[in-house]
Amino acid sequence: MKTRSLFICALCALAVTTGFTACSDDDDNTKSYVDVSVADGVFVLNEGSYFSNINGSLDYLDYGRQSITNNVLGTTYNLGGTPNNAIIVNDVMYIACADENQVTVINAKSLTASNKMITVTAPRELATDGSFVYVTSQAGTVSKIDIATNNVVKTTEAIGDRLEGIAYRDGFLYVCNSCKEIPNPETGYSSWEYHTNLIKLNAETLTKVADITVAANPNQIISDGKTLYLASWGDYYMVEATVQSIDANDQVKAIGNGQKIAYDDNKLYIVNTTYDTSYNEVNSYKVLDLNTNQTSDFWGDTSLIFSPGTIGVDPITHDVIITSYQKGDYGYADYTANGYLVVYSKDNKFFTNATTKFTTGVGPCTLVFNSHKELKEE
C-alpha cells in the first residue's frame, strides 16, 4: 500500500509541475483518488484494581488477525494504577493515569512510550480539538496540553469537585462536575454531595463561561459534532441515572436512563444498570434512533455480558463492542479477574461470527478505535 501511495503522489507531483491535469491522453480515463479511513482495530484500556494493587494495562484487538494481544506494552512500560481514559491524536495515544499523576504518551503504531510524560494531578478524562488535549482532574482542575510539544500550557484553578467527563464543541469545553466527598471524622465514613452542573469553559483561555444545570452526578459526555450527550449517574440509590441531550443553545433535554453511552451514525447506544433486592445487576441495552426519536432493544445477544464495563461503536465498521467483568465465585462481578469483550458485528466484515468474545485485562473500561488513511479511487 505504501508503494502504491508513493507512486500516486509522484504522478500528482508530475502533473502539477508540467501543467497536465490527467494521467492519460483520454480525459475520460482520468482517475481521482481520495483519502479514506480504514479500520485497524481497537485498544482496550484496563483500569486494574486499586484496592487489590493490580496495575492497569493496554490490550489491542487486531481486526485483520481477528485476535487480541494482551498487555501490548509488555514489560517496557508500566501504566501503574488506575489508568482512566485514553484518546488518539495523530497516531499518538494519551492515557490519563490517575495514581501516577501523569498523562502517559504512547506511539499508537510502534507501541513505544515517549520519554516525556506529562505531569497532571490525578488526571481523569480526556478530550481534543485536534491541536490540544484537555484533561480533567479529580482535584477539580482542567489542563490544556499542546500536542506539538506535549507541554501543559494552561491549568485552571479548582473549578469543581472530582471532575469527570469532558467534551469539546465549537470552541468550548463542557466539563462534568460530578460530586464532593464530605468526610465524617466521628464515624470515619464519608457522605457525598452530588452536583447538578456542567461547567462550560472557553477552550482557548480556559475561562469559565457558564454553569449548565443537568441531572445529578454528571459523568460521561460525548459529542456528535453538533449535539452533546450526557450520562448523569444519580446517587446510585434513589436517584436514577439519566441520559440527556444538550443542543447548540445549551438547552438540556432528558432522553432516557443509563450510565454508559456511545454514538454512531445518528444512533445513541445506552446501557442502564439497576439492582434487584439481592443486589444483583439488572442490565438493559437500548438503541435510540435520533432521526425518529424511537428507542429499540439492542439487536445483539446481551446475555453474553455479565457486568458491562463500557460500550463503544467503531465509526468505520459500525461494529459494537461491549466489555464486561467476569462473574465471581459469589455471583457478583469479580473486580480482580481478567475481563472480556464481545464484538457484535452486523456486516461480518472482519469477524466471521455475529458475536465474538475475547479476554482482556482487569477492568476493561475504555475503548479507543484505531485506523489509518489510504488513497482510494473515487
Side-chain angles (χ1 to χ4, degrees):
M1 183 55 67
K2 288 184 178 179
T3 303
R4 176 181 173 83
S5 299
L6 290 172
F7 178 66
I8 292 168
C9 291
L11 288 179
C12 293
L14 178 64
V16 171
T17 56
T18 59
F20 294 135
T21 59
C23 298
S24 168
D25 292 336
D26 185 352
D27 286 345
D28 291 338
N29 293 329
T30 300
K31 295 180 180 180
S32 59
Y33 297 85
V34 293
D35 246 351
V36 298
S37 295
V38 179
D40 291 324
V42 59
F43 288 97
V44 185
L45 183 64
N46 307 296
E47 293 185 353
S49 174
Y50 174 82
F51 293 104
S52 298
N53 295 315
I54 299 174
N55 284 333
S57 63
L58 187 67
D59 302 333
Y60 186 65
L61 174 61
D62 187 305
Y63 290 166
R65 296 179 180 178
Q66 296 187 41
S67 64
I68 194 167
T69 302
N70 299 119
N71 193 21
V72 292
L73 298 178
T75 58
T76 60
Y77 192 81
N78 185 354
L79 290 177
T82 325
N84 292 303
N85 193 230
I87 57 173
I88 294 177
V89 188
N90 298 335
D91 292 336
V92 176
M93 178 180 288
Y94 296 84
I95 305 174
C97 299
D99 295 355
E100 311 309 310
N101 293 310
Q102 71 178 26
V103 175
T104 298
V105 183
I106 301 290
N107 184 303
K109 298 303 181 185
S110 65
L111 296 177
T112 55
S114 168
N115 291 327
K116 182 178 182 180
M117 297 299 149
I118 305 168
T119 299
V120 176
T121 302
R124 186 65 179 173
E125 301 285 330
L126 308 165
T128 186
D129 59 6
S131 298
F132 298 92
V133 170
Y134 304 93
V135 190
T136 61
S137 167
Q138 292 281 276
T141 63
V142 175
S143 295
K144 181 177 183 178
I145 299 169
D146 186 342
I147 65 171
T149 62
N150 283 339
N151 289 326
V152 175
V153 295
K154 192 178 292 291
T155 298
T156 67
E157 61 183 8
I159 58 173
D161 302 296
R162 292 183 175 267
L163 301 183
E164 290 285 350
I166 182 170
Y168 173 87
R169 180 177 70 178
D170 295 334
F172 296 98
L173 300 169
Y174 294 78
V175 183
C176 294
N177 185 27
S178 66
C179 59
K180 180 179 181 180
E181 184 177 7
I182 305 173
N184 187 330
E186 294 182 1
T187 65
Y189 296 99
S190 296
S191 60
W192 297 88
E193 176 185 319
Y194 295 102
H195 298 315
T196 57
N197 66 305
L198 286 180
I199 301 169
K200 183 178 180 180
L201 302 177
N202 180 299
E204 181 178 358
T205 63
L206 294 191
T207 54
K208 185 174 179 177
V209 175
D211 282 307
I212 302 170
T213 301
V214 297
N217 196 5
N219 262 264
Q220 184 190 4
I221 187 167
I222 58 178
S223 173
D224 67 5
K226 296 180 180 179
T227 303
L228 300 172
Y229 301 97
L230 169 69
S232 292
W233 289 3
D235 66 358
Y236 311 100
Y237 180 56
M238 295 296 293
V239 180
E240 286 187 295
T242 304
V243 179
Q244 301 132 93
S245 63
I246 304 166
D247 68 15
N249 297 315
D250 293 339
Q251 297 300 302
V252 180
K253 178 183 177 182
I255 56 177
N257 297 111
Q259 295 91 349
K260 300 171 179 65
I261 54 177
Y263 173 88
D264 177 65
D265 197 24
N266 222 30
K267 294 181 178 62
L268 194 66
Y269 294 77
I270 303 172
V271 179
N272 188 39
T273 301
T274 58
Y275 295 88
D276 62 19
T277 55
S278 299
Y279 301 103
N280 295 303
E281 287 188 27
V282 179
N283 298 297
S284 66
Y285 305 83
K286 302 291 184 181
V287 183
L288 172 62
D289 189 321
L290 298 167
N291 290 317
T292 65
N293 203 33
Q294 297 296 309
T295 300
S296 59
D297 290 333
F298 175 60
W299 48 268
D301 180 7
T302 55
S303 67
L304 298 171
I305 305 299
F306 178 71
S307 178
T310 191
I311 184 171
V313 188
D314 191 301
I316 300 172
T317 68
H318 309 295
D319 290 343
V320 179
I321 297 179
I322 303 176
T323 67
S324 179
Y325 291 90
Q326 299 278 3
K327 184 177 181 179
D329 293 338
Y330 298 98
Y332 301 104
D334 189 339
Y335 295 103
T336 63
N338 287 335
Y340 62 95
L341 66 82
V342 178
V343 180
Y344 297 91
S345 181
K346 274 189 171 180
D347 298 329
N348 299 332
K349 182 176 180 180
F350 289 104
F351 299 94
T352 54
N353 298 317
T355 55
T356 312
K357 184 176 176 180
F358 297 93
T359 299
T360 68
V362 177
C365 291
T366 298
L367 298 170
V368 187
F369 293 96
N370 190 34
S371 63
H372 70 277
K373 295 284 189 179
E374 287 185 8
L375 280 176
K376 289 198 173 182
E377 187 178 334
E378 284 190 301

mmCIF file of all heavy atoms in Angstrom, residues 1 5 8 12 31-38 373-378:
data_model
loop_
_atom_site.group_PDB
_atom_site.id
_atom_site.type_symbol
_atom_site.label_atom_id
_atom_site.label_comp_id
_atom_site.label_asym_id
_atom_site.label_seq_id
_atom_site.Cartn_x
_atom_site.Cartn_y
_atom_site.Cartn_z
ATOM 1 N N MET A 1 0.824 -1.203 0.000
ATOM 2 C CA MET A 1 0.000 0.000 0.000
ATOM 3 C C MET A 1 0.858 1.253 0.000
ATOM 4 O O MET A 1 0.569 2.252 -0.621
ATOM 5 C CB MET A 1 -0.944 -0.002 1.208
ATOM 6 C CG MET A 1 -1.885 1.207 1.237
ATOM 7 S SD MET A 1 -2.818 1.358 -0.290
ATOM 8 C CE MET A 1 -3.827 -0.108 -0.159
ATOM 9 N N SER A 5 0.870 4.234 -2.840
ATOM 10 C CA SER A 5 0.614 5.617 -2.453
ATOM 11 C C SER A 5 1.713 6.529 -2.952
ATOM 12 O O SER A 5 1.452 7.631 -3.440
ATOM 13 C CB SER A 5 0.493 5.717 -0.931
ATOM 14 O OG SER A 5 -0.570 4.938 -0.475
ATOM 15 N N ILE A 8 1.362 7.093 -6.700
ATOM 16 C CA ILE A 8 0.281 8.038 -6.997
ATOM 17 C C ILE A 8 0.728 9.458 -6.719
ATOM 18 O O ILE A 8 0.479 10.378 -7.499
ATOM 19 C CB ILE A 8 -0.965 7.690 -6.175
ATOM 20 C CG1 ILE A 8 -1.543 6.364 -6.662
ATOM 21 C CG2 ILE A 8 -2.028 8.774 -6.286
ATOM 22 C CD1 ILE A 8 -2.593 5.779 -5.747
ATOM 23 N N CYS A 12 0.978 12.727 -9.236
ATOM 24 C CA CYS A 12 0.312 14.002 -8.967
ATOM 25 C C CYS A 12 1.300 15.157 -9.018
ATOM 26 O O CYS A 12 1.007 16.232 -9.523
ATOM 27 C CB CYS A 12 -0.362 13.954 -7.587
ATOM 28 S SG CYS A 12 -1.729 12.786 -7.551
ATOM 29 N N LYS A 31 -8.491 9.288 -13.494
ATOM 30 C CA LYS A 31 -8.922 8.718 -12.230
ATOM 31 C C LYS A 31 -8.590 9.690 -11.108
ATOM 32 O O LYS A 31 -7.543 10.338 -11.118
ATOM 33 C CB LYS A 31 -8.241 7.376 -11.971
ATOM 34 C CG LYS A 31 -8.617 6.291 -12.975
ATOM 35 C CD LYS A 31 -7.913 4.988 -12.650
ATOM 36 C CE LYS A 31 -8.289 3.892 -13.649
ATOM 37 N NZ LYS A 31 -7.608 2.619 -13.349
ATOM 38 N N SER A 32 -9.470 9.796 -10.156
ATOM 39 C CA SER A 32 -9.217 10.638 -8.988
ATOM 40 C C SER A 32 -9.245 9.780 -7.736
ATOM 41 O O SER A 32 -9.912 8.740 -7.685
ATOM 42 C CB SER A 32 -10.259 11.752 -8.880
ATOM 43 O OG SER A 32 -11.561 11.212 -8.773
ATOM 44 N N TYR A 33 -8.487 10.228 -6.734
ATOM 45 C CA TYR A 33 -8.333 9.456 -5.506
ATOM 46 C C TYR A 33 -8.661 10.327 -4.304
ATOM 47 O O TYR A 33 -8.475 11.545 -4.328
ATOM 48 C CB TYR A 33 -6.905 8.921 -5.389
ATOM 49 C CG TYR A 33 -6.539 7.952 -6.497
ATOM 50 C CD1 TYR A 33 -6.077 8.411 -7.720
ATOM 51 C CD2 TYR A 33 -6.682 6.581 -6.318
ATOM 52 C CE1 TYR A 33 -5.759 7.534 -8.739
ATOM 53 C CE2 TYR A 33 -6.366 5.687 -7.329
ATOM 54 C CZ TYR A 33 -5.903 6.166 -8.542
ATOM 55 O OH TYR A 33 -5.599 5.282 -9.547
ATOM 56 N N VAL A 34 -9.158 9.686 -3.272
ATOM 57 C CA VAL A 34 -9.487 10.392 -2.045
ATOM 58 C C VAL A 34 -8.866 9.655 -0.859
ATOM 59 O O VAL A 34 -8.614 8.452 -0.922
ATOM 60 C CB VAL A 34 -11.014 10.502 -1.838
ATOM 61 C CG1 VAL A 34 -11.640 11.396 -2.889
ATOM 62 C CG2 VAL A 34 -11.669 9.125 -1.848
ATOM 63 N N ASP A 35 -8.612 10.418 0.196
ATOM 64 C CA ASP A 35 -8.139 9.834 1.454
ATOM 65 C C ASP A 35 -9.323 9.230 2.191
ATOM 66 O O ASP A 35 -10.316 9.924 2.445
ATOM 67 C CB ASP A 35 -7.512 10.924 2.325
ATOM 68 C CG ASP A 35 -6.033 10.709 2.527
ATOM 69 O OD1 ASP A 35 -5.546 9.632 2.141
ATOM 70 O OD2 ASP A 35 -5.368 11.601 3.059
ATOM 71 N N VAL A 36 -9.238 7.966 2.540
ATOM 72 C CA VAL A 36 -10.306 7.334 3.315
ATOM 73 C C VAL A 36 -9.714 6.702 4.565
ATOM 74 O O VAL A 36 -8.541 6.305 4.595
ATOM 75 C CB VAL A 36 -11.048 6.257 2.491
ATOM 76 C CG1 VAL A 36 -11.728 6.872 1.279
ATOM 77 C CG2 VAL A 36 -10.097 5.147 2.076
ATOM 78 N N SER A 37 -10.527 6.622 5.585
ATOM 79 C CA SER A 37 -10.109 5.992 6.829
ATOM 80 C C SER A 37 -10.405 4.499 6.772
ATOM 81 O O SER A 37 -11.491 4.090 6.366
ATOM 82 C CB SER A 37 -10.837 6.620 8.014
ATOM 83 O OG SER A 37 -10.462 7.975 8.170
ATOM 84 N N VAL A 38 -9.438 3.696 7.183
ATOM 85 C CA VAL A 38 -9.562 2.241 7.167
ATOM 86 C C VAL A 38 -9.409 1.738 8.603
ATOM 87 O O VAL A 38 -8.439 2.070 9.288
ATOM 88 C CB VAL A 38 -8.493 1.598 6.267
ATOM 89 C CG1 VAL A 38 -8.613 0.078 6.289
ATOM 90 C CG2 VAL A 38 -8.620 2.133 4.842
ATOM 91 N N LYS A 373 -5.108 6.034 7.210
ATOM 92 C CA LYS A 373 -5.600 6.641 5.969
ATOM 93 C C LYS A 373 -5.002 5.930 4.762
ATOM 94 O O LYS A 373 -3.838 5.539 4.767
ATOM 95 C CB LYS A 373 -5.225 8.119 5.926
ATOM 96 C CG LYS A 373 -5.870 8.982 6.994
ATOM 97 C CD LYS A 373 -7.332 9.259 6.673
ATOM 98 C CE LYS A 373 -7.889 10.291 7.639
ATOM 99 N NZ LYS A 373 -9.317 10.606 7.338
ATOM 100 N N GLU A 374 -5.827 5.760 3.734
ATOM 101 C CA GLU A 374 -5.362 5.216 2.457
ATOM 102 C C GLU A 374 -5.938 6.023 1.318
ATOM 103 O O GLU A 374 -7.044 6.575 1.406
ATOM 104 C CB GLU A 374 -5.814 3.757 2.298
ATOM 105 C CG GLU A 374 -5.082 2.756 3.156
ATOM 106 C CD GLU A 374 -5.508 1.325 2.863
ATOM 107 O OE1 GLU A 374 -6.277 1.123 1.878
ATOM 108 O OE2 GLU A 374 -5.085 0.418 3.591
ATOM 109 N N LEU A 375 -5.185 6.100 0.213
ATOM 110 C CA LEU A 375 -5.711 6.686 -1.010
ATOM 111 C C LEU A 375 -6.504 5.625 -1.763
ATOM 112 O O LEU A 375 -5.979 4.545 -2.044
ATOM 113 C CB LEU A 375 -4.575 7.203 -1.895
ATOM 114 C CG LEU A 375 -3.986 8.564 -1.530
ATOM 115 C CD1 LEU A 375 -2.812 8.864 -2.446
ATOM 116 C CD2 LEU A 375 -5.031 9.659 -1.643
ATOM 117 N N LYS A 376 -7.740 5.947 -2.060
ATOM 118 C CA LYS A 376 -8.571 5.004 -2.820
ATOM 119 C C LYS A 376 -9.251 5.730 -3.955
ATOM 120 O O LYS A 376 -9.573 6.924 -3.863
ATOM 121 C CB LYS A 376 -9.602 4.340 -1.908
ATOM 122 C CG LYS A 376 -8.983 3.352 -0.922
ATOM 123 C CD LYS A 376 -10.008 2.407 -0.356
ATOM 124 C CE LYS A 376 -9.350 1.332 0.498
ATOM 125 N NZ LYS A 376 -10.334 0.362 1.036
ATOM 126 N N GLU A 377 -9.480 4.989 -5.036
ATOM 127 C CA GLU A 377 -10.116 5.571 -6.205
ATOM 128 C C GLU A 377 -11.556 5.930 -5.916
ATOM 129 O O GLU A 377 -12.290 5.155 -5.302
ATOM 130 C CB GLU A 377 -10.039 4.573 -7.361
ATOM 131 C CG GLU A 377 -10.516 5.130 -8.685
ATOM 132 C CD GLU A 377 -10.369 4.110 -9.813
ATOM 133 O OE1 GLU A 377 -9.492 3.228 -9.683
ATOM 134 O OE2 GLU A 377 -11.116 4.218 -10.781
ATOM 135 N N GLU A 378 -11.965 7.115 -6.363
ATOM 136 C CA GLU A 378 -13.366 7.537 -6.156
ATOM 137 C C GLU A 378 -14.308 6.724 -7.027
ATOM 138 O O GLU A 378 -13.965 6.300 -8.122
ATOM 139 C CB GLU A 378 -13.515 9.021 -6.481
ATOM 140 C CG GLU A 378 -12.985 9.940 -5.421
ATOM 141 C CD GLU A 378 -13.367 11.377 -5.666
ATOM 142 O OE1 GLU A 378 -12.984 11.890 -6.745
ATOM 143 O OE2 GLU A 378 -14.014 12.006 -4.809
#
